[in-house]
Amino acid sequence: MASLFAMDIQMLKGVGEKRAALFRKVGAPTVGELLRLYPRTYEDWSSPVAIGEAPLNEISVIRATVLARPRQQYIRKGMTLYKTEVTDGVRDMTLTYFNNPYVQSMLQEGKEYLFRGKMQGNLTRREMTAPDFSPADGSAPIVPVYPQTEGLSSRQIGNAMKAAFQLLPELLRDPLPDEMRQRLELCQLRFAMENIHFPGSMELLEIARRRLVFEELLVLQLGLLSLKSRTRVENHLRLTQDVSEEFYRLLPFTPTNAQKRAIAEALTDMQGEAPMSRLIQGDVGSGKTAVAAALCYCVIREGMQAALMAPTEVLARQHAKTLSAMLEPAGIRTALLVGSMTAKQKRTVTQELASGEIQLIIGTHALLTEGVVFQKLALVVTDEQHRFGVAQRAALAQKGENPHLLVMSATPIPRTLALMIFGDLDISILDELPPGRQKIETFAITSDKRERAFGYVKKHLDRGLQGYMICPLIEEGQSDMASVTQYRDMLEEGAFSGYRIGILHGRMKPREKDAVMAQFSSGELDLLVSTTVVEVGVDVPNAVIIVIENAERYGLSQLHQLRGRVGRGHEKSTCILISDAQNEEAVTRLRVMCSTSDGFRIADEDLKLRGPGDFFGSRQHGLPQLSIADMAQDITLLKLAQEEARHLLHEDPDLEQPEHRGLRAETRRLFEKVGDGAFT
Ligand code: ADP
Ligand code: MG
């Protein structure tokens, strides 16, 4: 069996070298992957309607008999029409095909066919142009539509699928344990595979889909839960006291109630039976950093170490600055570890980390390097989690012995869904912004008002305040460096001559980026022109205005993140979205941005607009790519899968029992592409 699944797609009948390349392109290099290339949608041919009942201008399926062999009409050079009449016994309909001589031989007089196409005509006449057809013998009532690509049609994929099924044994080994399958009334694997690809009816399709979705979600939950499987380890890094009040005295501000609550929740975890696994969900600017700092402080006060990992160097350096300013006065040693440091600098840091002199380390992925060893790592914090994969988080945790884990989200995710996806994490919500924050005024304008907007920006700069400009994409395929520099030149020569403008783009070395950020935050620059590099986390409270060019290019969460760069101090802040886009979705997005600054509401809207597929893509959350389940639509099955996964792991933590081995193999397979060997 295993060998069949691993078999090269080219071994299938009808798949040659060229076509194999196309199959690889759609994600099916092997027979196994082909079988999991599920249809995007289906054409339902199973319930034909009468010609007179088909609504005009909509797709319908008609069962009708061909009245005469299609006749040929020569229109002009290169254009031949084929016309025929069909009847359902009550009404007739005219069919027209262009340049398709085959219909003459394929549509036989007196025979019955199913025709699928858009019904057109008027009260007295009915017609279809180039409808698909198949003999009305009931052979293929529901036709799968695969994600095709140039040169490889859905029909060709369907044919390869048929060839693959001929090789499949009658009984497939089913990863779902029999007992579970029967108890939950799920169909067998072979049956599910057949009916997902070649459904006998819509009902059978639903039965097949239910089973496959459940299996995929179960495997996902098993993977997520066993990545941690922390509920069964003991908390031997237990905190014995609560010194948060001491920490609060170090802060330049009074913590919000939400911050205090989150800190208390986390401390309760860390004093408990099992290591903490907690997600902090907070809107942009809600003060997550201070929460992390408090927990680091408490851990360090008990003689242990903490680590904070950020997705970019700019962010790591910013955190290092903030945290050292907060904690060093209390005698705590902090240090930075990022890729761009010299080998010597890194060596010093790793040595002092291993000896325990450094109590808090702040860094990027560099923290995951092999040479990084801790004396006693008790707390791992990851900031802006959707930039990290689940496996990366786990990798850092492996540097200690089941350390406490705190994950800080960049932007909110709808709560119900967060509960599902991070089922293994407890959640604290920062639902309160620090006092004195004013609503960020947001305007959407068209590009002809740009000059006026620039004038408005200048008024702010003239008062000693600062601003961000997110530059436009000038041409398709242009590097962000080119667009940033061109835009900067345009500003310097035009509206903003005489102002101090800095740039930030993806091609810059971390050290260069950092130097620019340092200049900006110390007020040596008035304006920072950037791509979305500044998107995540950057905190310069004196920056109060942000202009986003081509705002239609960004998703809601990203716009919200970008806007969150301002409104971090006491000054009233402004966000100006420039866009000439007309399409409805883009306009809706901009309207949402102007009407609310509540990150949780924006997350809900984002989910609605983008659909869950995008929202939960692996890019966003480091979760594996799902091939059939839909996290938002299949929420009931997700809950069920979560319960079953918990139960299973409770009984058999390593899935070692013979009836669980199939699931274990599937879990490995699903996470293979995400991870760094967390399962091997
Ligand atoms: P985020 O949740 O987006 O990571 P930060 O932790 O960067 O937010 O905090 C945003 C800004 O708010 C920082 O400048 C920080 O110093 C400030 N801040 C955080 N908590 C408070 C508070 N309780 N009162 C006043 N300012 C605060
Ligand atoms: Mg932050």
Side-chain angles (χ1 to χ4, degrees):
M1 243 340 268
S3 59
L4 170 63
F5 270 68
M7 189 166 114
D8 193 301
I9 193 81
Q10 212 174 314
M11 308 299 280
L12 283 184
K13 215 174 106 211
V15 181
E17 205 170 305
K18 268 214 191 103
R19 196 163 284 175
L22 294 171
F23 273 102
R24 280 194 285 278
K25 200 168 152 198
V26 295
T30 64
V31 173
E33 273 147 309
L34 177 70
L35 289 167
R36 282 177 207 280
L37 187 68
Y38 299 123
R40 200 162 39 79
T41 174
Y42 299 84
E43 287 175 0
D44 184 0
W45 294 66
S46 67
S47 351
V49 295
I51 292 175
E53 273 157 31
L56 284 178
N57 299 314
E58 279 178 34
I59 303 272
S60 291
V61 175
I62 305 290
R63 180 199 294 270
T65 306
V66 175
L67 289 173
R69 182 168 186 269
R71 46 190 194 283
Q72 182 175 349
Q73 286 176 14
Y74 183 76
I75 303 271
R76 59 180 155 79
K77 200 165 185 308
M79 173 73 90
T80 312
L81 281 188
Y82 298 88
K83 271 185 185 288
T84 186
E85 310 293 320
V86 299
T87 183
D88 63 6
V90 180
R91 288 193 66 164
D92 298 352
M93 163 170 84
T94 308
L95 305 184
T96 309
Y97 290 89
F98 297 97
N99 291 343
N100 188 352
Y102 305 109
V103 296
Q104 278 192 310
S105 54
M106 283 157 71
L107 287 178
Q108 290 168 23
E109 185 179 335
K111 266 190 79 173
E112 202 178 35
Y113 296 86
L114 295 175
F115 297 95
R116 184 176 185 280
K118 193 190 275 183
M119 182 61 82
Q120 287 169 316
N122 51 39
L123 265 182
T124 54
R125 276 170 49 80
R126 285 287 184 270
E127 55 185 343
M128 277 189 180
T129 305
D132 287 338
F133 58 88
S134 75
D137 55 10
S139 57
I142 298 167
V143 177
V145 180
Y146 292 99
Q148 51 195 11
T149 183
E150 175 94 47
L152 185 65
S153 69
S154 174
R155 193 183 290 241
Q156 288 165 328
I157 296 176
N159 288 340
M161 203 68 77
K162 282 188 191 125
F165 267 86
Q166 278 171 4
L167 302 177
L168 280 191
E170 228 8 81
L171 243 181
L172 287 181
R173 198 154 66 212
D174 197 327
L176 290 184
D178 266 349
E179 179 280 322
M180 180 191 285
R181 199 176 52 70
Q182 285 167 17
R183 179 166 45 83
L184 302 177
E185 300 188 324
L186 297 166
C187 68
Q188 289 186 358
L189 181 57
R190 164 95 206 200
F191 183 89
M193 288 301 251
E194 251 169 43
N195 280 286
I196 204 76
H197 289 294
F198 309 109
S201 69
M202 289 316 262
E203 289 73 36
L204 292 177
L205 171 60
E206 200 35 52
I207 290 170
R209 191 175 179 279
R210 184 177 133 84
R211 183 237 136 90
L212 293 171
V213 168
F214 174 81
E215 181 187 320
E216 188 168 49
L217 293 174
L218 177 69
V219 167
L220 174 72
Q221 292 296 326
L222 285 173
L224 290 175
L225 291 177
S226 55
L227 252 182
K228 317 286 293 311
S229 61
R230 295 163 62 88
T231 40
R232 52 197 174 96
V233 304
E234 206 193 321
N235 178 8
H236 57 257
L237 301 166
R238 214 182 256 227
L239 295 194
T240 58
Q241 47 179 350
D242 176 350
V243 290
S244 52
E245 286 298 330
E246 225 174 278
F247 169 79
Y248 296 150
R249 288 198 286 278
L250 297 171
L251 285 176
F253 44 70
T254 315
T256 64
N257 287 326
Q259 283 170 320
K260 282 193 194 163
R261 196 179 342 109
I263 292 167
E265 282 167 353
L267 286 175
T268 308
D269 289 355
M270 294 200 280
Q271 292 166 350
E273 302 273 305
M276 168 174 79
S277 301
R278 190 167 279 278
L279 171 73
I280 303 276
Q281 277 246 70
D283 208 343
V284 186
S286 57
K288 293 182 284 280
T289 317
V291 173
L295 304 179
C296 292
Y297 180 85
C298 293
V299 159
I300 291 163
R301 273 287 168 263
E302 301 211 16
M304 303 185 282
Q305 292 169 299
L308 188 154
M309 183 163 73
T312 63
E313 280 209 30
V314 165
L315 211 54
R317 286 176 190 271
Q318 176 184 293
H319 278 317
K321 213 169 116 196
T322 316
L323 293 175
S324 63
M326 255 179 220
L327 300 174
E328 301 232 316
I332 289 173
R333 268 292 304 281
T334 66
L336 177 76
L337 186 68
V338 292
S340 67
M341 286 164 42
T342 64
K344 188 161 162 245
Q345 287 171 322
K346 285 183 196 159
R347 204 158 44 239
T348 314
V349 170
T350 47
Q351 273 163 10
E352 294 182 357
L353 199 57
S355 71
E357 276 166 85
I358 293 173
Q359 295 158 300
L360 169 60
I361 184 85
I362 298 131
T364 52
H365 299 85
L367 291 176
L368 302 177
T369 358
E370 218 169 287
V372 177
V373 183
F374 290 81
Q375 194 217 14
K376 193 170 189 186
L377 176 63
L379 172 64
V380 164
V381 183
T382 51
D383 189 17
E384 320 297 355
Q385 49 77 26
H386 73 218
R387 296 257 177 137
F388 291 114
V390 207
Q392 277 174 319
R393 254 187 263 148
L396 183 54
Q398 263 152 31
K399 303 246 173 209
E401 278 180 62
N402 297 306
H404 301 290
L405 205 61
L406 185 75
V407 178
M408 299 197 285
S409 75
T411 20
I413 334 170
R415 191 188 160 95
T416 45
L417 293 166
L419 284 170
M420 292 297 139
I421 307 173
F422 299 102
D424 51 337
L425 301 182
D426 298 307
I427 302 181
S428 293
I429 297 201
L430 296 184
D431 51 5
E432 183 187 352
L433 293 178
R437 295 280 172 81
Q438 301 186 47
K439 189 172 173 293
I440 304 170
E441 287 290 349
T442 304
F443 306 100
I445 62 170
T446 43
S447 59
D448 54 332
K449 311 233 169 52
R450 183 183 284 118
E451 286 305 317
R452 269 180 62 191
F454 284 179
Y456 189 67
V457 174
K458 279 199 282 195
K459 268 194 202 148
H460 287 79
L461 306 189
D462 293 342
R463 288 173 47 213
L465 298 165
Q466 294 163 284
Y468 297 98
M469 297 270 205
I470 307 304
C471 78
L473 195 69
I474 296 173
E475 289 157 22
E476 189 75 32
Q478 184 180 35
S479 76
D480 70 338
M481 174 172 73
S483 44
V484 167
T485 36
Q486 271 185 38
Y487 190 62
R488 190 258 326 263
D489 294 348
M490 194 269 285
L491 297 178
E492 250 170 16
E493 285 155 22
F496 291 92
S497 78
Y499 290 86
R500 300 164 301 171
I501 308 179
I503 58 173
L504 204 61
H505 58 74
R507 295 280 179 89
M508 284 161 73
K509 295 219 174 69
R511 199 187 306 273
E512 297 167 336
K513 278 190 202 161
D514 189 51
V516 172
M517 273 323 295
Q519 280 182 310
F520 188 63
S521 61
S522 66
E524 289 162 52
L525 295 171
D526 302 308
L527 208 53
L528 188 61
V529 173
S530 171
T531 53
T532 54
V533 191
V534 290
E535 178 193 341
V536 178
V538 166
D539 183 41
V540 180
N542 192 49
V544 297
I545 188 158
I546 182 164
V547 177
I548 304 174
E549 294 268 9
N550 290 136
E552 75 281 355
R553 271 198 296 158
Y554 307 101
L556 270 177
S557 299
Q558 207 177 5
L559 286 173
H560 184 60
Q561 253 305 321
L562 283 168
R563 177 170 61 181
R565 296 315 101 219
V566 300
R568 307 191 137 241
H570 290 288
E571 279 288 333
K572 179 142 197 70
S573 292
T574 312
C575 169
I576 300 174
L577 306 167
I578 304 185
S579 174
D580 294 325
Q582 307 265 312
N583 83 64
E584 202 182 307
E585 207 219 287
V587 172
T588 311
R589 254 182 283 145
L590 301 182
R591 196 177 309 130
V592 171
M593 285 299 291
C594 295
S595 69
T596 182
S597 50
D598 176 346
F600 287 92
R601 247 199 72 196
I602 288 178
D604 281 334
E605 295 289 336
D606 201 14
L607 181 63
K608 261 189 239 152
L609 282 174
R610 277 203 288 171
D614 262 12
F615 203 85
F616 293 108
S618 55
R619 250 180 336 127
Q620 280 265 337
H621 296 284
L623 291 177
Q625 196 72 50
L626 300 179
S627 46
I628 189 163
D630 175 332
M631 291 271 205
Q633 199 191 314
D634 295 318
I635 212 148
T636 324
L637 279 177
L638 184 53
K639 274 187 191 151
L640 184 64
Q642 197 169 38
E643 277 164 34
E644 292 291 330
R646 288 224 162 101
H647 186 70
L648 253 175
L649 289 176
H650 184 74
E651 305 268 288
D652 181 11
D654 296 313
L655 300 177
E656 275 170 337
Q657 290 166 26
E659 68 271 28
H660 297 154
R661 288 208 185 121
L663 282 174
R664 191 168 116 173
E666 287 301 307
T667 309
R668 282 218 175 112
R669 197 185 52 76
L670 185 66
F671 279 79
E672 219 162 47
K673 294 195 184 110
V674 193
D676 56 352
F679 279 98
T680 48

